[in-house]
Amino acid sequence: MSVNNIENSFQLEYVVYFSMYLESFYLDISKSKDTKQRDRYTQLIAYIQEASFESAYEMYLRISKADTDIENFTEAMIKTAQRSARIDMGLLDE
């Protein structure tokens, strides 16, 4: 699923959880104390539950422009972020 193919709130929520986990990994590996991007995703997760899909998607597009480059992540980090997002959404058991 690419960002351009997000069609509903459920898909958007998954992408946001995934992005939040990647940002958390980036903070760990870079030793950065700047949690603003990760915190934006956390707030967006709550917003998705309350807002229309269109409004939440627009917010996601604004937030995602500040994303960390995917090149900073290993395949293992990406798979872990995917798994963590699925667990948070209740799609997998821990």
Side-chain angles (χ1 to χ4, degrees):
M1 166 181 34
S2 77
V3 173
N4 295 332
N5 292 334
I6 296 174
E7 296 175 355
N8 59 50
S9 295
F10 185 79
Q11 290 174 340
L12 179 59
E13 186 174 359
Y14 173 77
V15 170
V16 173
Y17 270 113
F18 173 71
S19 300
M20 180 187 67
Y21 279 107
L22 286 180
E23 288 298 328
S24 292
F25 291 147
Y26 179 73
L27 291 173
D28 288 344
I29 61 174
S30 69
K31 307 291 188 227
S32 174
K33 305 261 189 252
D34 183 5
T35 63
K36 290 178 195 165
Q37 186 66 2
R38 184 191 62 199
D39 296 344
R40 287 182 191 111
Y41 283 123
T42 302
Q43 293 168 352
L44 181 54
I45 289 166
Y47 186 70
I48 290 169
Q49 307 295 323
E50 303 168 3
S52 70
F53 168 73
E54 292 78 13
S55 177
Y57 185 65
E58 285 299 317
M59 182 182 248
Y60 169 75
L61 291 176
R62 286 193 305 271
I63 291 171
S64 67
K65 289 181 181 178
D67 270 350
T68 304
D69 245 345
I70 196 76
E71 296 166 353
N72 291 314
F73 305 106
T74 65
E75 186 175 338
M77 290 174 167
I78 292 170
K79 288 182 185 235
T80 300
Q82 289 171 329
R83 179 169 171 60
S84 297
R86 289 180 180 125
I87 289 169
D88 281 354
M89 293 186 67
L91 301 174
L92 288 177
D93 294 329
E94 288 186 55

